[in-house]
Amino acid sequence: MKHFLCDNFLLSNKTAETLYHDYAVKMPIFDYHCHVDPQEIAEDRAYDNIAQLWLGGDHYKWRIMRANGVSEEYVTGNADDYDRFMKFAEVLPRSIGNPIYHWTHLELKRYFDCDLILNPENAHKIWEICNEKLRKGLTVRKIIKASNVTAIGTTDDPDDSLEWHIKMKNDSSWDVNVIPTFRPDRLLNSDRPIDEIKAHLIERMDYFNEHGCCIADHGLSHISTPDNELLLFCANEYAKRSWVMQLHFNVHRDVNSRMFNKIGANTGFDCISTQDNNALAGLLNNIENLPKTILYSLNPADNMFLATLAGCFPNMQFGAAWWFNDTKAGMIEQLTAYANAGVLGNFIGMLTDSRSFLSYTRHEYFRRILCNLLGTWVENGEYPADTETLGEVVRDICYNNAFKYFQSP
């Protein structure tokens, strides 16, 4: 029996171990899509305690707390930070099979040098260990640098001034590329005249482009028509600027309307939805000048559809297992579908899609799963034991492919 979170965690064979330890672990991180606050990077935020860092905006953790019957006062309410932390510690041992159990302990190990298991018995000691590390200067920038991150794609409102991105560009002490991402959902859903919206979109795209933007992102509940005028317009404008377009869809947002009215959006009350996939295929076909595009569905039933659809257009990617799918099983299913229907070696790999600066351990989680899947295929005789070739594939999926995809026209 393996020890929990040992050096070969999630690695079940020798080939997997070699691929991970000799190739994957050394690669930097190009985190091309997340929801962290650029102001906190620019100002190098310091946290008072681990509860602020862990529970301040992470709706993954909020969901399991609610699922265990924890009062909202301890989730998003005004409860004392220590009490909130203790409530989370009570829930975690019951969350076997949930990736949060793994992520939480990877975060403790990688950033706080803490090998203790989080439970009610160890919670107070872990609280003290983590807070001591924070007091000694574990700030946002140090977390990012410790994670070997070279680029971060934030998610920004089209009317954002980008002041924090500009400050970081002008900060000679900071060499991580924090890239603004154009997220026009609010404008596209407004009731202003179409021509007025288009003019405003162009103005803001030009502004974002001047300040290093090369990525746009659309969060779509579903795609019901192949002739969405504004989405088609945006796609063609992105192509003119050599931007990458991301489409996230099949999410039913704010299902609990009472909680939405009480505490707002992005608080953990969303679920998987469905759509007419023919509409998505038609939409992409109707884009006259299709930019590089990444497709993400929250519904895992769409995996083979997206893997095959991506092969119908140039420079299109079937995006990483997203949100409720970034589990061990979900990542394996996404990678397997990509391999079955496409060229897995060209995949641009993992992203955090998170509001937490500790979430870079998700890249480690993904890399271990990737290496174990490839290693298993080799051990089963399904692929030659060509470590050099497989090592290059691993390096490319972990970092190189994303770097090339976002940095080259």
Side-chain angles (χ1 to χ4, degrees):
M1 181 178 68
K2 285 185 178 180
H3 292 294
F4 176 64
L5 226 63
C6 65
D7 287 346
N8 291 324
F9 173 59
L10 298 179
L11 306 175
S12 64
N13 54 72
K14 291 298 182 182
T15 304
E17 293 171 12
T18 298
L19 292 175
Y20 179 74
H21 293 297
D22 293 354
Y23 297 94
V25 77
K26 301 175 184 178
M27 298 306 293
I29 291 173
F30 195 111
D31 192 32
Y32 53 89
H33 176 68
C34 71
H35 297 274
V36 296
D37 186 347
Q39 180 177 352
E40 295 186 356
I41 306 175
E43 295 183 336
D44 195 17
R45 179 179 174 183
Y47 293 86
D48 295 330
N49 58 62
I50 184 60
Q52 290 181 5
L53 183 55
W54 254 354
L55 303 173
D58 191 341
H59 56 73
Y60 284 83
K61 292 184 175 73
W62 294 349
R63 286 179 70 99
I64 67 167
M65 292 172 74
R66 293 183 184 120
N68 204 52
V70 174
S71 167
E72 195 67 28
E73 177 186 2
Y74 297 96
V75 183
T76 61
N78 296 319
D80 177 79
D81 284 343
Y82 180 75
D83 293 337
R84 297 177 68 203
F85 172 79
M86 292 302 293
K87 290 292 184 183
F88 177 63
E90 291 173 8
V91 174
L92 194 64
R94 303 184 65 81
S95 302
I96 183 171
N98 193 309
I100 295 172
Y101 192 88
H102 290 153
W103 297 344
T104 296
H105 289 97
L106 282 172
E107 290 163 7
L108 286 174
K109 192 177 184 71
R110 299 295 176 244
Y111 300 111
F112 299 98
D113 302 314
C114 178
D115 289 314
L116 295 175
I117 302 302
L118 183 59
N119 54 42
E121 291 73 32
N122 286 334
H124 182 74
K125 188 171 184 179
I126 291 172
W127 170 265
E128 291 183 331
I129 290 171
C130 293
N131 292 349
E132 178 65 16
K133 194 90 170 180
L134 293 171
R135 280 192 294 270
K136 288 183 176 178
L138 183 62
T139 60
V140 162
R141 288 191 176 191
K142 287 184 179 177
I143 291 170
I144 292 170
K145 295 297 288 186
S147 306
N148 199 15
V149 178
T150 66
I152 300 171
T154 57
T155 303
D156 308 285
D157 185 89
D159 288 322
D160 194 295
S161 68
L162 303 182
E163 61 176 307
W164 302 109
H165 295 83
I166 294 168
K167 287 182 179 180
M168 282 183 276
K169 284 289 185 183
N170 296 327
D171 183 352
S172 60
S173 69
W174 184 240
D175 61 356
V176 176
N177 187 14
V178 183
I179 307 166
T181 295
F182 191 73
R183 179 73 174 252
D185 299 357
R186 180 181 57 79
L187 287 182
L188 270 57
N189 294 326
S190 73
D191 57 3
R192 295 162 60 185
I194 294 291
D195 289 343
E196 185 178 318
I197 294 175
K198 288 182 177 179
H200 189 59
L201 284 167
I202 288 176
E203 176 190 346
R204 298 310 300 168
M205 285 183 202
D206 288 342
Y207 181 80
F208 269 61
N209 200 60
E210 290 171 11
H211 294 292
C213 178
C214 60
I215 313 168
D217 181 42
H218 294 257
L220 309 166
S221 296
H222 64 282
I223 300 171
S224 59
T225 172
D227 56 358
N228 184 316
E229 181 179 353
L230 282 175
L231 194 53
L232 293 170
F233 170 80
C234 284
N236 283 297
E237 290 295 324
Y238 300 152
K240 292 178 185 177
R241 295 164 177 79
S242 298
W243 287 7
V244 174
M245 177 173 69
Q246 299 182 105
L247 300 179
H248 290 84
F249 47 89
N250 276 354
V251 52
H252 188 168
R253 298 185 184 275
D254 308 316
V255 173
N256 188 330
S257 59
R258 288 174 293 280
M259 291 305 296
F260 170 74
N261 292 332
K262 185 176 181 180
I263 60 176
N266 301 317
T267 52
F269 296 98
D270 311 308
C271 68
I272 293 170
S273 184
T274 59
Q275 71 165 32
D276 177 4
N277 286 330
N278 290 330
L280 173 60
L283 173 74
L284 295 171
N285 187 56
N286 286 343
I287 298 173
E288 183 177 350
N289 190 11
L290 185 69
K292 291 181 180 178
T293 302
I294 311 173
L295 306 174
Y296 310 84
S297 173
L298 197 59
N299 194 330
D302 291 337
N303 279 346
M304 281 303 293
F305 165 69
L306 292 184
T308 56
L309 179 62
C312 296
F313 300 93
N315 289 319
M316 185 168 289
Q317 285 272 336
F318 169 23
W322 172 44
W323 199 345
F324 297 126
N325 300 312
D326 55 8
T327 62
K328 177 185 173 185
M331 291 180 193
I332 292 171
E333 288 178 14
Q334 188 270 347
L335 288 166
T336 302
Y338 204 124
N340 286 171
V343 180
L344 183 60
N346 294 335
F347 179 37
I348 57 173
M350 190 54 175
L351 68 172
T352 61
D353 191 33
S354 172
R355 290 168 173 78
S356 170
F357 287 101
L358 295 181
S359 292
Y360 298 114
T361 51
R362 295 183 191 179
H363 286 262
E364 176 183 343
Y365 197 64
F366 165 81
R367 291 174 180 187
R368 288 176 178 273
I369 290 167
L370 168 68
C371 291
N372 192 66
L373 182 65
L374 299 182
T376 299
W377 289 342
V378 170
E379 298 279 340
N380 288 345
E382 299 175 52
Y383 191 90
D386 182 351
T387 304
E388 185 175 343
T389 297
L390 280 172
E392 282 304 305
V393 168
V394 167
R395 286 192 183 118
D396 287 345
I397 295 173
C398 289
Y399 180 79
N400 296 332
N401 290 342
F403 179 84
K404 295 174 184 175
Y405 194 75
F406 290 97
Q407 297 296 313
S408 61

